[in-house]
Amino acid sequence: MISSLFFILSFSSVVQAHPLTLNFPSNMSAASTFRTIILGAPGSGKGTIAERVCKTFGLQHIVSGDILRKQQQENTELGKEVTNYISSGALVPDELIISLMSKEMKTVGPKWLLDGFPRTFPQAEKLHKEVGMVDSVINLDIPFDVIRKRIESRYIHFASGRTYNLEFNPPKVPFKDDVTGEPITRRPDDEPEVVMARLKTYRERTEPLLDYYRKAGVLKEFQGTESNVIWPFVKEYLEAQMNSAESNKRDKKRA
């Protein structure tokens, strides 16, 4: 079981983002132990922010979508179930995702970021029974109309999970993956009617989850419409939390 590091964040206020210069190092890693979760609706830019967090602070990036895609690619029984749920715009049931993620969590170190899990209150309860409460939870609060427009232009290289947006992150060659040159396609769950179903489902099922983390004192919310604008605020927040955590750890050693 991963050892717990508890410290209570004294605020869960919403941050209104405004432009700042994007500039971050790749080796900033103040805390020796830190566990965090990133939340956001499909198409919120969660993957982009998560990658920057992991690169900047040296966290292991655990992506539930990658684990699910592997099951689909290998055409396992679990993978077939996953495909059926995703194609209909429904979230993967708790018992299925918990089974997959529980196995993954047994292999990780003391510094990680969970991306795409937990998505529901029961999933969170199960997670924290296993590893204790996390140090922070980041929620990206992006307007749904902005998300809908993003997803309409989103394409993916299914084998690798690399994602492109035809408007602001297009492939070098139209409709071809930058690395392999293979075709990129729109995911079945990115079709307009499926997107709206997913967003509705997300809102209904994650509100209790947000309330849970808000009451636990570990939720920090960020509003905005562009990842490059939101990122500096996320970075500043996590930097402060990690420095505080490491300082508290040193104080306990001296005591």
Side-chain angles (χ1 to χ4, degrees):
M1 181 178 297
I2 303 173
S3 61
S4 298
L5 172 63
F6 293 96
F7 68 94
I8 302 301
L9 308 184
S10 62
F11 48 87
S12 61
S13 58
V14 174
V15 173
Q16 181 63 48
H18 58 78
L20 284 179
T21 301
L22 178 62
N23 181 25
F24 57 95
S26 60
N27 60 353
M28 186 182 298
S29 181
S32 58
T33 302
F34 198 82
R35 296 94 49 74
T36 188
I37 293 170
I38 187 166
L39 302 175
S44 65
K46 179 164 56 67
T48 298
I49 297 296
E51 287 179 3
R52 292 177 181 178
V53 168
C54 291
K55 180 179 179 181
T56 303
F57 298 102
L59 305 186
Q60 184 171 349
H61 193 185
I62 304 171
V63 187
S64 63
D66 289 349
I67 297 171
L68 297 180
R69 274 190 292 274
K70 181 180 179 182
Q71 295 290 325
Q72 290 177 281
Q73 291 167 4
E74 295 177 353
N75 202 32
T76 65
E77 289 303 314
L78 288 177
K80 293 175 183 178
E81 289 186 58
V82 169
T83 297
N84 289 336
Y85 285 110
I86 290 178
S87 297
S88 66
L91 293 176
V92 179
D94 286 348
E95 58 270 18
L96 181 55
I97 189 66
I98 288 172
S99 175
L100 292 172
M101 295 304 296
S102 293
K103 294 178 182 178
E104 185 71 17
M105 295 307 298
K106 294 177 181 179
T107 68
V108 301
K111 297 180 63 175
W112 45 256
L113 177 145
L114 282 181
D115 180 352
F117 179 85
R119 293 188 178 185
T120 66
F121 173 61
Q123 289 178 359
E125 280 193 312
K126 175 68 175 179
L127 170 67
H128 302 309
K129 284 180 181 178
E130 296 292 330
V131 302
M133 180 53 67
V134 292
D135 301 303
S136 72
V137 177
I138 299 165
N139 181 48
L140 304 180
D141 184 10
I142 313 300
F144 277 6
D145 61 336
V146 172
I147 292 175
R148 179 182 56 78
K149 292 177 182 178
R150 285 181 183 178
I151 292 179
E152 287 177 354
S153 299
R154 185 168 69 178
Y155 282 73
I156 189 171
H157 179 244
F158 192 77
S160 67
R162 281 185 290 274
T163 302
Y164 301 88
N165 188 287
L166 300 185
E167 291 186 6
F168 57 82
N169 181 36
K172 296 174 182 177
V173 177
F175 300 102
K176 299 289 184 180
D177 177 53
D178 287 349
V179 177
T180 66
E182 296 172 345
I184 57 175
T185 59
R186 177 181 280 170
R187 296 183 344 190
D189 53 331
D190 280 352
E191 296 298 329
E193 63 276 8
V194 179
V195 168
M196 296 312 297
R198 290 173 68 203
L199 291 176
K200 181 180 179 181
T201 301
Y202 176 85
R203 175 176 287 165
E204 292 173 349
R205 297 188 68 178
T206 55
E207 276 304 320
L209 180 63
L210 293 176
D211 288 342
Y212 171 68
Y213 287 126
R214 191 175 289 116
K215 291 176 181 177
V218 296
L219 179 67
K220 183 68 174 177
E221 301 189 82
F222 299 85
Q223 287 183 337
T225 60
E226 299 179 20
S227 296
N228 285 349
V229 176
I230 294 173
W231 162 245
F233 293 93
V234 175
K235 175 178 173 289
E236 181 181 19
Y237 162 72
L238 287 177
E239 191 174 42
Q241 299 311 312
M242 289 190 179
N243 287 336
S244 176
E246 196 65 14
S247 176
N248 290 341
K249 184 178 178 179
R250 288 195 298 268
D251 289 343
K252 289 181 180 179
K253 287 183 177 180
R254 295 192 191 104

